[in-house]
Amino acid sequence: MMIEHDEMNEAKFLYACASMKVAIASFLEVCEVYGCASDELVKMLDESREAIDGLMRA
């Protein structure tokens, strides 16, 4: 079975988006553990995750 170039690019894109979401969640968790998670940081990271979700749905 041959994978089309566009399908491979889409799979790579979705993988990259999922990886960014995991990185954001991990970063936020570390910040919360060390007490450096300000309200502004949490809001920014939540907005970033929502934006990534939007990209993945597009």
Side-chain angles (χ1 to χ4, degrees), residues 4-54:
E4 293 291 325
H5 185 68
D6 288 343
E7 290 174 347
M8 189 178 343
N9 285 338
E10 183 177 355
K12 287 178 183 179
F13 175 77
L14 292 174
Y15 179 79
C17 286
S19 296
M20 286 189 291
K21 285 181 65 172
V22 169
I24 289 169
S26 297
F27 179 72
L28 183 56
E29 186 175 329
V30 168
C31 286
E32 288 174 349
V33 167
Y34 288 100
C36 60
S38 69
D39 290 341
E40 289 179 11
L41 177 63
V42 171
K43 182 181 175 190
M44 181 188 71
L45 293 174
D46 284 341
E47 289 172 354
S48 296
R49 283 190 286 199
E50 290 172 11
I52 293 168
D53 283 339

